[in-house]
Structure formats: C-alpha cells, structure tokens
Amino acid sequence: MSLQVEKLEKNMAKLTIEVSAEEFEKAIHRAYLKNKGKINVQGFRKGKVPQAVIERMYGKEVFYEDAANDVIPPAYQEETKNSDLVIVSQPKIDVEQMEKGKPFIFTAEVALKPEVTLGNYKGIEVEKIDVEVTEEEVDNEIDRVRTQNGRTITIEDRAVQKDDMTVIDFEGFVDGVPFDGGKAENYDLVIGSGAFIPGFEDQLIGAEIGKEKEISVTFPEQYHSKELAGKPATFKVTVKEIKVKELPELDDEFAKDVSDFDTLEEYKADVKAKLLEKKEDDAYDEKENAVIDKIIEASQMEIPDVMIDYQVQGMMDDFSRNLQMQGLSVEQYFQFTGYTRQKMMEEMKPNALKKIQSRLVLEKIVEVENLTATQEDIDQEIADAAAAYNMEADKLREFMGEAEMEQMKVDIAVQKAADLVVEAAQEIEK
C-alpha cells in the first residue's frame, strides 16, 4: 500500500491510497465466498457455483462493491495511523480505480488539525466579577425546594390559573381541516411553561374542567412545517384535570425534613453558602471564558468548515439525548416550538466554532508549557468520576480502555492550561 497527501485550502487534505492488485484480488474472492450462497445458477448446487461462472454471468464487476467496502476501512486506518497526519473529521471517500489486475486506488478528503499561532496568553486583562448573594435569591431557592417537597392537590371547583398543572385533550385545525400532529389526549401541560405555540397557554387561563374551549393562535413564520408556518389555527381544547402544589410551612420542621439542620435559620445560612459557592464557580467559568476569548482574538488559526459541521452534529446529538431523558423527542420539540433542525444547527455554529478555537489554543498552550497529567491527577479524576457514578474507583478503572485513559490525560492537561491562563490574568475594576 501507499499514501500520497495533497494539501488543500483551509486545512483540508486529499489522501490518495493505493492497495495492491493482489490484495484487491483477495478481497474480490472474499466477497465471492460471502455471497456465493445467495446465487442460484442452473446446473450447480446452491453455494457451489464457481467464481468464474458467476463473473461470466453477471459481469466481472459483480463483487467489486463488496470488495471495495472490505479493503477501504483497513487500508485507510493503516495508512493514516502510520502517517504524521492529525485528522479531525470523517473521511469523504471516492474510488478512483477499481479493476481486476490493477491496484485499487481511492481518495479520502479529510480535515487536518489546524496549526495555531499563539498570541499573548499570560497577563490577560479581564473585568473583575463581584460575587454576592441577596436575601431574595436565598428566598427563591428555598421556595424552589418547598415546591419540590409540595403535595400535589387536585382542584375541582375553579377554572384554570397560571402555573396550574393541567391534563388536556386537544385537536388543531387550519381552515377548518385537522392537521397532522395537531391532536393529543391526556397531555400534561403546565400553564405558563411556554411549551406550546405563543398564545396557546395564556388563552387556557379561565378554562373550566370538562368544557371545550376554542383557542386561536398563529404558527410562527419559521415553523418547521412549511404547510403550517405563519398560518392561523384553531384548537379545540378540553381541560380534564387541574392540579396545584400545596407548599409546606416555612419553619424548623421544614428545615429538618429537607436538610441536616435543626432550625430554619441554620438551613438558610447553608443555602446562602451554597449559592455563594455556585456563584463563585460561575464567576470563575465566566472569567475563564473571557480570558480564552482574548487569547483566541490574539491567535491565528484556520478552521475547516467540516470540522465545524462535525462539532455542530455532536452538539445536536447531545441536545437530542437530553430531550430523550425528559421523555421528549427532538421532532416533538420542533413541533411545539416551531424550530427546525436546520435553523437550530445554523444557530449552533458560532458556539461550535468557539468550542473548537478554545480547545485548539489550550492544546497549543499545553504543548508550549509542556503540561502533563501526573498519576496523582489521573487517580483524582477517576475517583471523582467514580463518585459521580456511585461506583468504586478500581471498578471504573477496569472499564476504561487505553483510548479513554489517553483522552483523560489530554483533558487533564487542557484543564491545567485553562487554569494557568486564568491564574495569570489581571482583573480590572469595571
């Protein structure tokens, strides 16, 4: 095998990989062995038809596609592994030559890791972030805990109000005709949650249990369904249940129930301390982002478009998984919000670019500063991860492969680079 590399614009490269004629011939024969049992030829028992006979009947190219799929992955992996290329995208494969008796030649277009020219990264000036916790914030946090520990009560003697938890049946119509996806039964909806098209939930306020109410809304102009985008619609809605939360009394007994403290005063002090700790963590993250933004501005790098697209797809996959954990599909999310996949992915691009640039400059700082993960760092990281998964550190270590361990070492070093530039930054008053 052989590899030729042609550098393209914006850190793209075209790799030309050649597989010997002998290896391609072996792949064709493997394809024959894989498929011969599926081919019937009169005069031969099933699975006993010679390769030459099949090729005469169906053409010599009959096994080419399977043979190509057989040789491309290992050839690509071997040649790129033995090169000094750092590839950061999936390859776009094209077959250039595929013929018996000749070398099999294919190309792979890939994105290469951009080279970073670092600007100044020490002593970066950023605005100082003042951190404080107000009594109102403490009260709001305690109210949130009260709501979590509240008792759900069914309401039967009044109409719908804001913040009510309702169960509804609904059906939507455009120009008097029902539309796909516009009907549901026993649907849980919190009034004021913003889960539905603007105006839908507001008009439910005042609706009575068991009585059908007609609601008029207009679909957003950017709604994912072009047939509905911008159109007025009517929904027939019946409220089947109304529920509210009855909150516990704010006293020492409540503090004992939700914490390790005996008095409400002690509990409030602990809530305030935890809110302060979170705000300090958030302030550190904000400072880190501000410092890295300035390092990016002072540095030079050229990011391939496919690298951004790959990052966006990863972010979209994470978003979909988070929705699934909440019992909602991404398609339902688009339907309820009027968003489209294309619009969301387009809006993700600036954040995706920022993630890539941040990682690249930090990895460059790791290289320049010769930062590494010590064994103590690794042990602590595994211990923290094990605690998060509620398992023993040694068990987690057993599950980790070599690739995961190497990635952990890289991530630790990158975090050290982030800490280095934050600690070296200069805070200035606003």
Side-chain angles (χ1 to χ4, degrees):
M1 286 192 293
S2 65
L3 169 67
Q4 292 182 346
V5 180
E6 178 186 355
K7 296 290 181 70
L8 307 176
E9 293 181 346
K10 290 192 72 172
N11 287 302
M12 297 295 293
K14 182 178 180 181
L15 316 181
T16 301
I17 299 173
E18 181 176 311
V19 180
S20 70
E22 292 76 18
E23 284 301 317
F24 186 57
E25 186 65 45
K26 290 177 183 177
I28 292 174
H29 186 64
R30 287 194 295 271
Y32 157 71
L33 295 175
K34 173 185 173 184
N35 291 284
K36 66 177 183 177
K38 306 173 187 176
I39 300 173
N40 293 317
V41 175
Q42 190 173 359
F44 293 93
R45 284 182 296 162
K46 193 171 184 179
K48 300 296 182 180
V49 187
Q51 180 178 338
V53 172
I54 296 173
E55 290 177 340
R56 280 200 302 270
M57 290 187 65
Y58 295 99
K60 62 182 181 179
E61 301 88 358
V62 64
F63 298 120
Y64 280 10
E65 184 176 350
D66 281 347
N69 291 334
D70 184 20
V71 299
I72 288 174
Y76 173 81
Q77 185 175 11
E78 181 179 346
E79 289 300 318
T80 53
K81 183 180 180 181
N82 294 331
S83 73
D84 58 357
L85 301 174
V86 181
I87 297 170
V88 292
S89 73
Q90 295 296 320
K92 179 184 176 184
I93 302 293
D94 284 309
V95 175
E96 299 292 326
Q97 180 171 287
M98 183 165 57
E99 187 176 343
K100 258 190 174 184
K102 293 184 179 180
F104 174 76
I105 302 173
F106 68 96
T107 61
E109 189 171 311
V110 296
L112 302 180
K113 182 178 179 180
E115 183 60 39
V116 177
T117 303
L118 272 178
N120 178 45
Y121 62 90
K122 290 183 178 178
I124 300 294
E125 290 187 349
V126 291
E127 289 186 349
K128 184 178 180 180
I129 302 170
D130 295 320
V131 177
E132 64 174 340
V133 176
T134 66
E135 290 304 315
E136 182 182 3
E137 289 171 327
V138 173
D139 292 341
N140 288 340
E141 175 61 18
I142 291 175
D143 283 343
R144 185 187 68 79
V145 177
R146 289 177 70 201
T147 301
Q148 285 181 338
N149 288 271
R151 196 162 57 97
T152 301
I153 297 176
T154 300
I155 301 295
E156 298 178 347
D157 58 353
R158 66 163 173 80
V160 173
Q161 297 178 3
K162 190 175 182 301
D163 299 325
D164 282 349
M165 299 176 289
T166 65
V167 178
I168 62 174
D169 293 345
F170 65 85
E171 184 171 14
F173 303 83
V174 171
D175 297 329
V177 179
F179 58 87
D180 290 341
K183 183 176 182 179
E185 295 181 351
N186 298 319
Y187 189 89
D188 293 321
L189 177 64
V190 177
I191 305 304
S193 64
F196 263 60
I197 299 166
F200 185 97
E201 295 168 32
D202 291 341
Q203 292 180 61
L204 269 184
I205 294 174
E208 298 180 4
I209 296 174
K211 293 183 180 181
E212 184 176 273
K213 182 167 185 177
E214 196 168 280
I215 289 174
S216 296
V217 295
T218 300
F219 283 99
E221 291 291 343
Q222 301 301 318
Y223 196 66
H224 71 280
S225 171
K226 292 182 180 179
E227 293 77 14
L228 300 176
K231 289 190 175 180
T234 300
F235 284 85
K236 293 181 179 180
V237 187
T238 301
V239 177
K240 300 176 75 173
E241 293 181 37
I242 301 174
K243 297 179 181 179
V244 296
K245 286 269 191 177
E246 184 180 72
L247 304 185
E249 290 294 326
L250 192 56
D251 53 22
D252 290 346
E253 288 303 314
F254 168 72
K256 291 177 183 178
D257 288 340
V258 299
S259 73
D260 296 327
F261 300 97
D262 293 328
T263 67
L264 182 60
E265 185 178 353
E266 291 175 309
Y267 173 58
K268 281 187 173 182
D270 182 65
V271 168
K272 186 171 185 176
K274 287 178 178 175
L275 287 175
L276 181 61
E277 182 181 3
K278 184 179 185 307
K279 279 198 169 188
E280 287 172 342
D281 289 342
D282 291 343
Y284 185 90
D285 291 341
E286 187 177 340
K287 180 180 177 182
E288 180 180 302
N289 288 332
V291 170
I292 293 173
D293 281 346
K294 290 198 171 185
I295 296 172
I296 290 171
E297 289 176 13
S299 302
Q300 293 180 353
M301 68 198 95
E302 194 170 24
I303 312 298
D305 292 337
V306 293
M307 196 176 180
I308 300 172
D309 293 340
Y310 187 70
Q311 181 72 40
V312 167
Q313 188 57 58
M315 293 165 64
M316 193 69 200
D317 291 343
D318 289 342
F319 178 76
S320 299
R321 280 191 291 270
N322 289 335
L323 282 178
Q324 288 171 0
M325 291 173 64
Q326 301 172 44
L328 195 68
S329 70
V330 69
E331 287 74 20
Q332 289 172 316
Y333 175 84
F334 291 145
Q335 180 180 346
F336 295 149
T337 62
Y339 252 88
T340 65
R341 183 180 297 270
Q342 182 178 359
K343 181 182 178 183
M344 177 168 283
M345 294 181 76
E346 195 64 33
E347 290 183 358
M348 284 178 172
K349 280 188 175 180
N351 193 25
L353 176 61
K354 167 73 181 303
K355 284 177 178 287
I356 294 168
Q357 292 172 323
S358 299
R359 183 76 180 194
L360 287 173
V361 295
L362 290 175
E363 287 181 352
K364 189 65 177 179
I365 292 168
V366 167
E367 178 188 330
V368 172
E369 295 285 341
N370 195 27
L371 301 173
T372 58
T374 65
Q375 188 59 51
E376 184 180 355
D377 294 329
I378 295 167
D379 291 342
Q380 185 61 54
E381 187 74 14
I382 291 175
D384 291 343
Y389 289 113
N390 196 26
M391 62 189 298
E392 294 179 4
D394 289 342
K395 285 290 183 184
L396 179 58
R397 198 186 296 269
E398 289 176 11
F399 289 133
M400 293 180 66
E402 185 178 340
E404 288 84 359
M405 186 63 73
E406 288 304 313
Q407 187 60 53
M408 177 180 287
K409 292 177 183 178
V410 171
D411 291 342
I412 290 171
V414 166
Q415 187 56 53
K416 284 188 174 185
D419 292 339
L420 183 151
V421 296
V422 171
E423 290 166 11
Q426 302 295 317
E427 290 186 318
I428 57 175
E429 295 291 339
K430 294 182 181 179

